[in-house]
Amino acid sequence: MNRRTFTAGLAAFSSAAILAGRGTTAAPRKPTAGNDAARAAQLISAIRQAAGLPPVSVDRKLTAAAEYQARSVAAAGSLSHGDFAGRVRSFGIAGAVAENLAYGSDDVAGAIAQWQGSAPHQANLLMAGARRIGLGRADSGSTRYWALVIG
């Protein structure tokens, strides 16, 4: 399967509308707050520490927002950030945050490698003020979708 990445800009938000509803039609899947998110934090922390930046840890609210987005893009069958600012606000997240999306990688290390290969995604991983992440994953057919919220 081809690995693909999509460019997402670094995002800092000072105001946003509340996203109405959190429903999605994606098929149920196992939560990713455990092993995948912990592994993502470990891998991203190593990247950050090599650049002289502090490590990140898994955050419950960021994970909920990332899981919601992963289910949304899997249900749509395409990557779109949509109303990212509104979505993060609806999960009670404040401050500067960014989102990386990917599909096609079977594991979290592959998704992070995709993001490292894209300058805007790499910039998100290396946000100076970032201290926390949330990771979501959802499968649609044979395709796995990933969402990372970092702040």
Side-chain angles (χ1 to χ4, degrees):
M1 178 175 294
N2 289 332
R3 292 184 179 189
R4 300 176 187 171
T5 59
F6 292 82
T7 303
L10 181 62
F13 300 98
S14 61
S15 66
I18 299 298
L19 182 64
R22 294 184 184 163
T24 182
T25 59
R29 80 320 165 228
K30 294 179 182 177
T32 60
N35 292 339
D36 282 340
R39 180 72 176 136
Q42 179 185 38
L43 292 169
I44 293 167
S45 290
I47 293 164
R48 290 174 58 78
Q49 288 175 327
L53 296 168
V56 294
S57 60
V58 177
D59 178 87
R60 174 182 55 82
K61 288 181 180 180
L62 296 184
T63 296
E67 288 181 341
Y68 173 84
Q69 183 64 356
R71 289 192 305 271
S72 295
V73 295
S78 65
L79 300 181
S80 171
H81 295 283
D83 182 13
F84 177 62
R87 183 166 22 90
V88 296
R89 294 276 187 209
S90 75
F91 281 91
I93 301 164
V97 293
E99 176 177 75
N100 287 354
L101 302 175
Y103 74 96
S105 292
D106 291 331
D107 62 28
V108 69
I112 292 171
Q114 287 180 38
W115 295 325
Q116 282 186 280
S118 162
H121 290 101
Q122 178 76 353
N124 289 346
L125 296 176
L126 297 175
M127 284 175 46
R131 300 293 185 273
R132 55 204 170 103
I133 65 158
L135 182 75
R137 144 186 123 191
D139 296 328
S140 179
S142 62
T143 304
R144 178 159 289 167
Y145 292 82
W146 297 92
L148 175 75
V149 179
I150 185 165

